[in-house]
Amino acid sequence: MNAVDLHYQVDGRGPPLYLIHGIGARHSAWDGIVPGLTAHFTCVRFDLRGHGNSAAPPPPYSLAQLVDDVEALRRRLGHAAIHIAGHSLGGMIAPAYARRHPKRARSAALISTAAFRTADDRARLQSLGETMRAHGVESALDAFVARWFTDAFIQAEPAVIDARIRQIIDTPPAVFREVFRLYAQTEMAAWLGEVGCPCLALTGALDGGCPPRLNRAIARALPNAELVILDNLKHAVLLESPQRVLPPLKRFLLAQDE
């Protein structure tokens, strides 16, 4: 196992629920969700390697390494089996963990993530990655904001937008480019059928990168999955509308412990 020490925070009581953020974010991405879950679950939030206060080995990174990091944290905290939920890149780590450690994964929630991308989908991501390599991560900030948030939210909550931009800027550029590459190049289609635990696929109806058409395919490929599409939302559902993400996520999680 090639794992690193992750900075983490634990809140609540009950079955353990591990919460994984996306590229250039922090464990605080789940701040709007956790208070609604702590009466039922022990919520474990952490910064991915290279992010926040976690160890930052030099890239390259692999999906297998990010799964190893989660497994090392589970062992450190002594949890026998866990629910696991991830957003964006985290939504790829969660099912990859469940596939690798089927006896340890009670359920997996895939939030705002992608599989079964078309050639056009891949080309758009490649173009954005090339822009960052040529001109720096900051050259892509406007594109990320437009992809992640609705226009109404951008106008109404500039402090949230600024904080999210600051997280990206504060992530080492080489790390951000690497996790974006990993998110862009990971294709789960070949192995989603091997994820045996109950799964939730949830996305925003207006998410251009992780749209309903891809999440419908994800839900069909998973042996035991339900699909939730939240209207009028783009990619950053945890920040823009945690109050709408929480009910279906909580309902799904509680159903696994009945």
Side-chain angles (χ1 to χ4, degrees):
M1 181 180 294
N2 184 19
V4 302
D5 288 334
L6 301 178
H7 173 75
Y8 67 92
Q9 178 177 340
V10 180
D11 300 281
R13 63 182 184 273
L17 167 62
Y18 283 47
L19 301 166
I20 313 174
H21 65 76
I23 60 173
R26 306 290 186 271
H27 71 282
S28 59
W30 297 92
D31 284 356
I33 301 291
V34 166
L37 296 173
T38 50
H40 306 279
F41 299 95
T42 300
C43 297
V44 179
R45 292 174 278 173
F46 54 90
D47 296 337
L48 290 173
R49 64 166 60 196
H51 294 67
N53 292 316
S54 287
Y61 299 163
S62 69
L63 188 64
Q65 288 175 317
L66 301 185
V67 168
D68 284 346
D69 293 345
V70 178
E71 174 62 3
L73 181 59
R74 183 200 63 79
R75 294 182 183 183
R76 177 179 180 180
L77 297 180
H79 294 136
I82 64 175
H83 300 285
I84 186 165
H87 176 262
S88 194
L89 176 61
M92 297 173 173
I93 300 168
Y97 179 91
R99 177 184 179 228
R100 175 101 69 84
H101 302 284
K103 294 182 179 180
R104 301 301 185 186
R106 302 181 66 177
S107 72
L110 293 66
I111 300 174
S112 302
T113 195
F116 301 93
R117 289 176 174 130
T118 66
D120 286 344
D121 295 328
R122 294 191 293 271
R124 285 192 291 270
L125 290 171
Q126 181 179 350
S127 176
L128 191 55
E130 290 172 351
T131 295
M132 288 190 288
R133 286 192 294 274
H135 305 291
V137 172
E138 293 188 16
S139 67
L141 291 177
D142 289 344
F144 282 125
V145 170
R147 287 166 63 94
W148 291 348
F149 299 96
T150 64
D151 291 344
F153 189 81
I154 292 170
Q155 293 180 359
E157 299 291 345
V160 176
I161 306 302
D162 289 346
R164 185 68 180 96
I165 290 173
R166 175 50 55 186
Q167 287 180 336
I168 297 172
I169 293 173
D170 288 345
T171 302
V175 169
F176 187 86
R177 289 193 300 268
E178 177 63 6
V179 292
F180 180 84
R181 180 201 62 79
L182 189 56
Y183 165 78
Q185 295 183 4
T186 293
E187 179 48 74
M188 301 187 288
W191 51 262
L192 281 177
E194 301 171 22
V195 179
C197 67
C199 294
L200 170 68
L202 182 152
T203 197
L206 305 179
D207 190 333
C210 305
R213 62 180 169 83
L214 299 186
N215 278 259
R216 291 188 184 99
I218 288 170
R220 286 193 299 267
L222 290 162
N224 181 7
E226 64 177 272
L227 173 66
V228 173
I229 298 171
L230 300 177
D231 60 4
N232 300 317
L233 289 176
K234 289 189 175 181
H235 189 67
V237 294
L238 300 181
L239 298 181
E240 181 159 348
S241 196
Q243 73 278 8
R244 294 185 61 199
V245 175
L246 177 61
L249 177 61
K250 182 177 179 180
R251 182 175 64 249
F252 165 76
L253 292 167
L254 290 174
Q256 313 316 314
D257 287 315
E258 291 179 348

